[in-house]
Amino acid sequence: MKNRSLVSIEDYSKEEYMKILALAEKFEANPVQNILNGKVVATLFFEPSTRTRLSFESAVNKLGGRVIGFSDTSSTSVSKGESLKDTIKTVANYSDLIVMRHPIEGSSRYASEVSRVPIINAGDGANQHPTQTLLDLYSINKTQGKLDNLHIFLIGDLKYGRTVHSLIISLVDFNPTFYFISPKELMIPGEYKLMLDRKGIKYSEHLDFTDIVEKADIIYMTRIQKERFSDPMEYEKTKNSYVLKNNMLANAKSNLKILHPLPRVNEINTDVDDTEQAYYFTQALNGVYVRQAIMTSIFGLL
Ligand code: CP
């Protein structure tokens, strides 16, 4: 992992996922350390974010490093027409690592090809969000005591949901059974089904999940992402497709946990928040430890 960019979840092997998870557990026990002293991390967010940017910045601050960057391009030279290449080459002069979120698929890979410092993809359009996936794996492992042989429900926007795409790729190494639950307009893209077919992974597709909740070990809810639709009518048609409510969990397994990358709009009713199954806010907290593990591994410090 040392000095390597993390652009796609496929950049890491199963062994490397497990190393990150083990290291994150150590950071959870001891999150404040002075091991990034002298390191500068740049967070370049060309798209809005709360959790990803702030958990990266919190992770750096707790480890004694410094953060530079922007969360809005209107105050940068991007607004004057500066290219992504020139922005990255410039910021690489001022930092040791760049964390970047960008609306265009493939932008992180491109940035990694022109940067002299490693790039961490913090979300590139509808493509991937690999650090979210590592914190999702950490959260699943922590709540289930294992990653293998789990029944995973993925619900909502499976077409544009980058967190879903990265998570599916990472879990194929752990013999999951997937239940893809989405409106017809937002079904999982064919390329993911082809990959699962090739690897012999079981999956099924559904329009509803209320009659099968008792099968789930993990429910991974996602938001219908207004910003990804070119046709506003398509968004209006699908935006209220699923609302998970407390009374739907009556027959759930005792080990069921509900995850969501967040932000939520209305797809999880607030009456779920205080249940034993709700894990999404702790999941977001886990992002700090996992991102500490990722950055220290890239810096070759642990
Ligand atoms: N999960 C996630 O990417 O959240 P933000 O958009 O708030 O960073």
Side-chain angles (χ1 to χ4, degrees):
M1 288 172 262
K2 189 176 175 187
N3 289 330
R4 274 165 47 201
S5 292
L6 173 55
V7 170
S8 159
I9 195 64
E10 288 154 302
D11 293 339
Y12 282 1
S13 63
K14 178 180 179 180
E15 290 68 36
E16 286 170 328
Y17 304 156
M18 299 318 289
K19 270 190 198 157
I20 294 289
L21 268 49
L23 194 50
E25 203 163 3
K26 291 189 179 157
F27 280 119
E28 181 169 358
N30 189 12
V32 181
Q33 303 181 37
N34 204 26
I35 49 182
L36 290 187
N37 193 14
K39 298 287 186 200
V40 176
V41 175
T43 55
L44 309 188
F45 278 68
F46 295 77
E47 255 194 355
S49 167
T50 298
R51 277 143 293 273
T52 309
R53 184 173 66 82
L54 294 178
S55 65
F56 262 112
E57 295 185 358
S58 175
V60 174
N61 284 323
K62 283 173 189 280
L63 295 180
R66 298 291 178 115
V67 177
I68 60 171
F70 55 78
S71 56
D72 178 358
T73 56
S74 65
S75 62
T76 73
S77 291
V78 174
S79 66
K80 302 175 200 163
E82 185 168 54
S83 68
L84 179 61
K85 180 178 179 180
D86 289 1
T87 301
I88 293 295
K89 285 178 91 67
T90 303
V91 176
N93 285 335
Y94 307 146
S95 62
D96 303 295
L97 174 66
I98 295 174
V99 178
M100 185 179 92
R101 171 171 290 184
H102 197 284
I104 298 177
E105 294 181 30
S107 52
S108 281
R109 181 66 69 200
Y110 175 70
S112 73
E113 286 164 2
V114 300
S115 174
R116 66 177 186 84
V117 301
I119 300 285
I120 295 180
N121 179 5
D124 62 328
N127 184 32
Q128 285 222 13
H129 194 347
T131 67
Q132 177 70 44
T133 294
L134 289 163
L135 79 89
D136 292 341
L137 292 180
Y138 184 78
S139 300
I140 294 170
N141 194 41
K142 201 167 166 62
T143 59
Q144 305 297 319
K146 62 176 188 174
L147 290 169
D148 295 290
N149 306 318
L150 294 169
H151 287 242
I152 313 267
F153 282 33
L154 295 156
I155 304 179
D157 178 357
L158 308 187
K159 181 178 178 184
Y160 300 115
R162 59 194 175 198
T163 65
V164 166
H165 300 159
S166 301
L167 186 59
I168 291 170
I169 294 168
S170 70
L171 281 169
V172 296
D173 287 328
F174 300 97
N175 191 38
T177 303
F178 287 122
Y179 300 76
F180 297 130
I181 299 138
S182 69
K184 278 203 178 76
E185 296 82 355
L186 297 173
M187 287 168 84
I188 191 78
E191 67 201 80
Y192 293 96
K193 291 194 277 183
L194 280 176
M195 177 195 65
L196 297 176
D197 289 338
R198 264 200 322 271
K199 296 195 178 259
I201 302 293
K202 295 184 284 301
Y203 66 86
S204 50
E205 292 181 276
H206 309 263
L207 294 174
D208 188 18
F209 64 95
T210 44
D211 292 343
I212 52 171
V213 168
E214 72 279 1
K215 294 180 191 291
D217 298 305
I218 294 289
I219 290 180
Y220 193 92
M221 290 299 291
T222 63
R223 175 175 66 95
I224 309 291
Q225 302 174 92
K226 190 177 184 180
E227 66 274 24
R228 305 275 175 237
F229 285 79
S230 48
D231 178 357
M233 286 309 293
E234 285 285 294
Y235 173 70
E236 289 302 316
K237 243 168 51 192
T238 55
K239 69 178 184 186
N240 294 320
S241 297
Y242 305 107
V243 181
L244 180 65
K245 296 186 176 145
N246 190 359
N247 63 13
M248 297 174 175
L249 302 172
N251 297 323
K253 286 189 192 176
S254 58
N255 63 308
L256 171 71
K257 289 294 176 221
I258 299 160
L259 272 59
H260 191 315
L262 303 177
R264 131 177 89 178
V265 181
N266 61 349
E267 59 279 1
I268 301 180
N269 198 298
T270 52
D271 72 1
V272 177
D273 293 358
D274 294 325
T275 65
E276 292 271 300
Q277 291 93 352
Y279 193 73
Y280 26 96
F281 291 112
T282 309
Q283 179 189 0
L285 169 64
N286 292 339
V288 174
Y289 315 129
V290 170
R291 288 171 173 133
Q292 287 180 319
I294 294 166
M295 288 187 287
T296 51
S297 298
I298 291 175
F299 282 130
L301 293 171
L302 290 174

